[in-house]
Coordinates of all heavy atoms in Angstrom, one line a residue:
V1 N 21.0 -102.6 -64.1 CA 22.2 -103.1 -64.7 C 22.8 -101.9 -65.6 O 22.0 -101.3 -66.3 CB 22.0 -104.4 -65.6 CG1 20.9 -104.1 -66.7 CG2 23.3 -104.8 -66.2
R2 N 24.1 -101.7 -65.5 CA 24.7 -100.7 -66.3 C 25.4 -101.4 -67.5 O 26.3 -102.2 -67.3 CB 25.7 -99.9 -65.5 CG 26.3 -98.7 -66.2 CD 27.3 -97.9 -65.3 NE 28.5 -98.7 -65.2 CZ 29.4 -98.4 -64.2 NH1 29.1 -97.5 -63.2 NH2 30.5 -99.1 -64.1
A3 N 25.0 -101.0 -68.7 CA 25.6 -101.6 -69.9 C 25.9 -100.5 -70.9 O 25.5 -100.5 -72.0 CB 24.7 -102.6 -70.5
T4 N 26.7 -99.5 -70.4 CA 27.0 -98.3 -71.1 C 28.3 -98.5 -71.9 O 29.3 -98.9 -71.3 CB 27.2 -97.1 -70.2 OG1 26.0 -97.0 -69.3 CG2 27.4 -95.8 -71.0
P5 N 28.3 -98.2 -73.2 CA 29.6 -98.3 -74.0 C 30.7 -97.5 -73.4 O 30.5 -96.4 -72.9 CB 29.2 -97.8 -75.4 CG 27.7 -97.9 -75.4 CD 27.2 -97.7 -74.0
G6 N 31.8 -98.2 -73.3 CA 33.0 -97.5 -72.8 C 33.2 -97.7 -71.3 O 34.3 -97.3 -70.8
E7 N 32.2 -98.2 -70.6 CA 32.3 -98.3 -69.1 C 32.3 -99.8 -68.8 O 31.8 -100.6 -69.5 CB 31.2 -97.6 -68.4 CG 31.2 -96.1 -68.6 CD 30.1 -95.5 -67.7 OE1 30.3 -95.6 -66.4 OE2 29.2 -94.8 -68.2
R8 N 32.8 -100.1 -67.6 CA 32.7 -101.5 -67.1 C 31.3 -101.8 -66.7 O 30.6 -100.9 -66.2 CB 33.6 -101.7 -65.9 CG 35.1 -101.5 -66.2 CD 35.9 -101.6 -64.9 NE 36.1 -103.0 -64.5 CZ 36.2 -103.4 -63.2 NH1 36.1 -102.5 -62.2 NH2 36.4 -104.7 -62.9
P9 N 30.8 -103.0 -67.0 CA 29.5 -103.4 -66.6 C 29.3 -103.4 -65.1 O 30.2 -103.6 -64.3 CB 29.3 -104.8 -67.2 CG 30.7 -105.3 -67.3 CD 31.6 -104.2 -67.6
A10 N 28.1 -103.1 -64.6 CA 27.8 -103.1 -63.2 C 26.3 -103.3 -63.0 O 25.5 -103.2 -63.9 CB 28.2 -101.7 -62.6
V11 N 26.0 -103.7 -61.7 CA 24.6 -103.9 -61.3 C 24.5 -103.1 -60.0 O 25.4 -102.8 -59.3 CB 24.2 -105.4 -61.1 CG1 24.2 -106.1 -62.4 CG2 25.1 -106.1 -60.1
G12 N 23.2 -102.7 -59.7 CA 23.0 -102.0 -58.5 C 21.7 -102.4 -57.8 O 20.8 -102.9 -58.4
D13 N 21.7 -102.2 -56.5 CA 20.4 -102.5 -55.7 C 19.8 -101.3 -55.2 O 18.9 -101.3 -54.3 CB 20.8 -103.4 -54.5 CG 21.7 -102.8 -53.5 OD1 22.2 -101.7 -53.7 OD2 21.9 -103.4 -52.4
G14 N 20.1 -100.1 -55.7 CA 19.6 -98.8 -55.2 C 20.4 -98.2 -54.2 O 20.2 -97.0 -53.9
R15 N 21.3 -98.9 -53.5 CA 22.1 -98.3 -52.5 C 23.6 -98.5 -52.9 O 24.4 -97.6 -52.6 CB 21.9 -99.0 -51.1 CG 20.5 -98.8 -50.5 CD 20.4 -99.5 -49.3 NE 20.5 -101.0 -49.5 CZ 20.6 -101.9 -48.5 NH1 20.6 -101.5 -47.3 NH2 20.8 -103.2 -48.9
H16 N 23.9 -99.7 -53.5 CA 25.3 -99.9 -53.8 C 25.4 -100.3 -55.3 O 24.5 -100.9 -55.9 CB 25.9 -101.1 -53.0 CG 25.8 -100.8 -51.5 ND1 24.8 -101.3 -50.7 CD2 26.7 -100.1 -50.7 CE1 25.0 -100.9 -49.4 NE2 26.1 -100.2 -49.4
T17 N 26.5 -100.0 -55.9 CA 26.8 -100.4 -57.2 C 28.0 -101.5 -57.2 O 29.0 -101.3 -56.6 CB 27.3 -99.2 -58.1 OG1 26.2 -98.3 -58.2 CG2 27.7 -99.7 -59.5
F18 N 27.7 -102.6 -57.9 CA 28.7 -103.6 -58.0 C 29.3 -103.7 -59.4 O 28.6 -104.1 -60.3 CB 28.1 -105.0 -57.6 CG 27.5 -105.0 -56.2 CD1 26.1 -104.6 -56.0 CD2 28.2 -105.3 -55.1 CE1 25.5 -104.6 -54.8 CE2 27.6 -105.3 -53.8 CZ 26.3 -104.9 -53.7
E19 N 30.5 -103.3 -59.5 CA 31.2 -103.2 -60.8 C 32.2 -104.3 -61.0 O 32.8 -104.7 -60.0 CB 31.9 -101.8 -60.9 CG 32.5 -101.5 -62.3 CD 33.2 -100.2 -62.3 OE1 32.6 -99.2 -62.6 OE2 34.4 -100.1 -62.0
A20 N 32.3 -104.8 -62.2 CA 33.2 -105.9 -62.5 C 33.5 -106.0 -63.9 O 32.9 -105.3 -64.8 CB 32.6 -107.3 -62.0
D21 N 34.5 -106.9 -64.3 CA 34.8 -107.1 -65.7 C 33.6 -107.9 -66.4 O 33.4 -107.7 -67.5 CB 36.1 -107.9 -65.8 CG 37.3 -107.2 -65.2 OD1 37.5 -106.0 -65.5 OD2 38.0 -107.8 -64.5
L22 N 33.0 -108.8 -65.6 CA 32.0 -109.6 -66.1 C 30.8 -109.7 -65.1 O 31.0 -109.9 -63.9 CB 32.5 -111.1 -66.3 CG 31.5 -112.1 -66.8 CD1 31.1 -111.8 -68.3 CD2 32.1 -113.5 -66.7
I23 N 29.6 -109.6 -65.7 CA 28.4 -109.7 -64.9 C 27.7 -111.0 -65.4 O 27.4 -111.1 -66.6 CB 27.4 -108.6 -65.1 CG1 28.1 -107.2 -64.7 CG2 26.1 -108.8 -64.2 CD1 28.4 -107.1 -63.2
V24 N 27.4 -111.9 -64.5 CA 26.7 -113.2 -64.9 C 25.3 -113.1 -64.3 O 25.1 -113.1 -63.1 CB 27.4 -114.4 -64.4 CG1 26.6 -115.7 -64.8 CG2 28.8 -114.5 -65.0
A25 N 24.3 -113.0 -65.2 CA 22.9 -113.0 -64.7 C 22.3 -114.4 -64.6 O 21.9 -115.0 -65.6 CB 22.0 -112.2 -65.7
A26 N 22.4 -114.9 -63.4 CA 21.9 -116.2 -63.0 C 20.7 -116.0 -62.1 O 20.5 -116.8 -61.2 CB 23.0 -117.1 -62.4

């Protein structure tokens, strides 16, 4: 999970990065 100040949050699976305004960890 990317939670870097100043950047949009994102998650990755090692191959692709999924960026969005909101990440919901369910």
Side-chain angles (χ1 to χ4, degrees):
V1 56
R2 187 180 73 200
T4 307
E7 296 188 61
R8 296 175 78 208
V11 293
D13 66 351
R15 295 176 300 170
H16 302 96
T17 298
F18 302 90
E19 184 180 272
D21 299 312
L22 176 69
I23 304 293
V24 180

